[in-house]
Amino acid sequence: MKSPSPHPAMMLTPYTGAEVLPLYTTTVAVSGGEARRARRSGRAVSDDGKLDLVLTQPAELGGDGCGTNAQQLFAAGFASCFQGAMSIVAASRRTRLPHVDIAATVSFGRDPVDGLFLITALLEVSLPSMDAREAAELVAETERICPYAKVARTGMRATVRLV
């Protein structure tokens, strides 16, 4: 039996612990072959099996473009996380969230600082049926609490280890 979801207002109550408190954890395993000569570059499968995708390099980067790529996954994650965070903010304000459209544009490019690579993102949020001032406040508060927006703003703690 699933435990009940916390009330949105509780989700916005600041946590005061000394360590990160995981609320949800998932693992996606990627395995695969080479990306050279437009071959498939892998498969991504989540630990619960709900995500199962063929991964390829985009045609613009020398792949065949016939599957999903990391930039698309990041864009989908960012947009969906922002939409979820917006729902929490709206519920905590007792504001009805009207139809929302969120488009995440993610670019993979060269970094002028170190000459290697970077990811940039643009999130465009449309709330056409909401008052402009109220929509701007909702988006600003959502940007403050959305974990993907925080990662984009400040970076994130990450560990890479060989097993």
Side-chain angles (χ1 to χ4, degrees), residues 71-159:
Q71 294 73 32
Q72 291 168 330
L73 292 170
F74 187 86
F78 197 166
S80 66
C81 185
F82 201 87
Q83 189 274 336
M86 185 175 286
S87 296
I88 291 170
V89 172
S92 74
R93 293 176 168 208
R94 293 177 171 46
T95 299
R96 186 183 155 281
L97 185 62
H99 180 81
V100 59
D101 287 311
I102 301 173
T105 302
V106 171
S107 295
F108 171 80
R110 297 305 295 255
D111 188 341
V113 174
D114 64 11
L116 297 174
F117 306 102
L118 56 65
I119 297 288
T120 61
L122 167 66
L123 211 61
E124 295 179 308
V125 180
S126 176
L127 293 158
S129 63
M130 186 177 263
D131 170 77
R133 184 184 57 70
E134 186 179 15
E137 289 174 1
L138 180 63
V139 168
E141 178 67 11
T142 301
E143 187 175 7
R144 189 181 72 75
I145 71 147
C146 173
Y148 271 70
K150 186 175 186 177
V151 162
R153 208 175 36 253
T154 65
M156 79 181 229
R157 185 182 323 168
T159 303

Side-chain angles (χ1 to χ4, degrees), residues 159-163:
T159 303
V160 177
R161 68 176 173 228
L162 180 62
V163 293

Side-chain angles (χ1 to χ4, degrees), residues 12-76:
L12 295 179
T13 302
Y15 169 64
T16 58
E19 299 292 324
V20 172
L21 174 64
L23 299 177
Y24 170 75
T25 300
T26 187
T27 299
V28 174
V30 173
S31 60
E34 52 188 281
R36 291 179 287 147
R37 294 186 216 99
R39 294 185 181 151
R40 289 187 175 161
S41 60
R43 182 173 172 215
V45 180
S46 62
D47 54 359
D48 64 3
K50 293 179 181 176
L51 178 78
D52 188 343
L53 300 169
V54 171
L55 302 172
T56 62
Q57 292 290 332
E60 297 84 351
L61 298 177
D64 66 12
C66 291
T68 303
N69 62 63
Q71 294 73 32
Q72 291 168 330
L73 292 170
F74 187 86

